[in-house]
Amino acid sequence: MKALVNELSPINCLPPEVVSVIPTYFPADSQGDLIRATHVCKYWRTTLIASPSLWNVIESGNEARMRAYIHRSQSYPL
C-alpha cells in the first residue's frame, strides 16, 4: 500500500532526466547531500544510482564509499 501511495506522489512524477539533474545544484563539497537524495524514495534512489555522472568525484577516507562510487560511476571518467 505504501509503495502505491509513493508511486502516485507528485515528486515521483518528475522525469528521470530531471531527478538526475537536481544533485548538480548541490554545493560541490556536499557528497553527503547526494547520499541523502538517494534516500528520498525508491524512485529517486534507482534514478540517481543509475546516473554515472553523479558518482565520478570520489572522496578518500571511507573505502566502502569509494568502492560504491567507483561502481556507480560505471565507465564515466573519475
Side-chain angles (χ1 to χ4, degrees):
M1 180 68 177
K2 191 174 185 180
L4 180 60
V5 171
N6 285 342
E7 282 183 34
L8 299 175
S9 173
I11 197 88
N12 287 329
C13 294
L14 292 172
E17 297 83 10
V18 172
V19 174
S20 64
V21 170
I22 292 171
T24 64
Y25 291 95
F26 297 162
D29 61 343
S30 64
Q31 287 187 332
D33 290 340
L34 176 58
I35 299 297
R36 282 188 288 279
T38 66
H39 294 234
V40 169
C41 63
K42 184 178 180 178
Y43 173 63
W44 276 43
R45 181 172 181 78
T46 303
T47 302
L48 295 176
I49 288 176
S51 302
S53 64
L54 298 175
W55 305 99
N56 69 329
V57 177
I58 301 172
E59 284 182 3
S60 62
N62 183 325
E63 185 177 341
R65 183 177 284 184
M66 287 176 15
R67 289 182 187 276
Y69 273 54
I70 290 169
H71 177 74
R72 292 173 183 174
S73 68
Q74 300 171 13
S75 62
Y76 203 85
L78 300 175

